[in-house]
């Protein structure tokens, strides 16, 4: 399976009406895991790069609920960039995939849904270490 198939772009339904938009994301239905944790990143800008890690245990879905950002995704062999620019779209990132988030618009609010509670020990923060672990 290619990297793009492993990390699909997800399009969520809009239940909006004349009162405004409404997007619903149900764990294990609209995304492939049960949601254990939610965090969001804002007041980043186009000078910072976040992420820069892979996770041994966690799966994620990233959604720009406001503004835009880019995610560079790699498995050490292939690489692609997703621009998150609509509240109705997300990208699924499985375990052991390296990601960098960057080019945040000033109004960017990047919502992250995660399959685990936080555990700093499951993060791989050195790219060299990541390459070694994925090649094992
Ligand atoms: P970091 O991993 O650098 O964030 P990002 O993935 O956005 O680049 O996390 C910054 C700090 O916050 C770091 O000290 C770990 C802590 N943190 C938690 O305690 N819980 C969490 O769920 C996350 C994502 C981070």
């Amino acid at each position: 399976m290619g990297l793009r198939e492993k990390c699909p772009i997800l399009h969520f339904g809009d239940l909006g009406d004349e009162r405004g938009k409404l997007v619903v994301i149900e764990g294990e239905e609209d995304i492939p895991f049960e949601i254990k944790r939610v965090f969001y990143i804002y007041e980043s800008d186009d000078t910072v790069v976040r992420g820069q890690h892979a996770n041994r245990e966690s799966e994620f879905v990233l959604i720009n609920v406001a503004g835009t950002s880019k995610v560079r995704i790699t498995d050490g062999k292939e690489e692609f960039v997703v621009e998150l620019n609509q509240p109705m779209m997300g990208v699924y990132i499985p375990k052991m995939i390296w990601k960098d988030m960057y080019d945040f618009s000033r109004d960017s609010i990047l919502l992250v849904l995660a399959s685990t509670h936080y555990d700093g020990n499951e993060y791989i923060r050195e790219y060299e270490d990541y390459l070694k672990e994925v090649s094992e």
Side-chain angles (χ1 to χ4, degrees):
M1 199 196 277
L3 185 62
R4 281 175 192 270
E5 290 167 284
K6 284 189 211 156
C7 306
I9 306 294
L10 307 175
H11 297 279
F12 306 116
D14 169 30
L15 304 177
D17 53 32
E18 62 286 350
R19 297 169 300 166
K21 302 278 194 196
L22 173 65
V23 177
V24 178
I25 301 168
E26 297 214 26
E28 297 180 295
E29 291 187 13
D30 304 298
I31 64 170
F33 55 81
E34 186 189 342
I35 300 164
K36 291 260 185 69
R37 176 165 49 119
V38 172
F39 56 94
Y40 42 95
I41 294 166
Y42 63 105
E43 292 191 12
S44 290
D45 62 26
D46 61 4
T47 68
V48 298
V49 182
R50 303 197 59 122
Q52 299 190 286
H53 45 60
N55 294 73
R56 296 186 184 94
E57 300 298 334
S58 300
E59 301 163 64
F60 299 99
V61 169
L62 276 58
I63 304 155
N64 257 99
V65 293
T68 64
S69 72
K70 295 194 180 97
V71 194
R72 187 184 306 111
I73 296 169
T74 182
D75 59 3
K77 295 189 200 106
E78 295 175 64
E79 173 183 311
F80 72 101
V81 173
V82 180
E83 178 165 350
L84 297 173
N85 55 14
Q86 301 168 51
M88 286 166 56
M89 77 171 280
V91 61
Y92 169 63
I93 302 187
K95 297 173 194 179
M96 287 303 283
I97 296 291
W98 187 273
K99 61 244 171 250
D100 303 321
M101 296 90 84
Y102 63 103
D103 217 359
F104 297 90
S105 64
R106 290 313 302 246
D107 61 347
S108 171
I109 304 177
L110 177 60
L111 176 69
V112 183
L113 311 176
S115 65
T116 59
H117 294 295
Y118 183 72
D119 172 8
N121 294 323
E122 61 109 8
Y123 280 67
I124 306 172
R125 293 188 177 274
E126 294 294 334
Y127 192 64
E128 291 302 311
D129 296 343
Y130 169 70
L131 289 179
K132 220 187 270 172
E133 276 194 44
V134 282
S135 68
E136 277 166 8

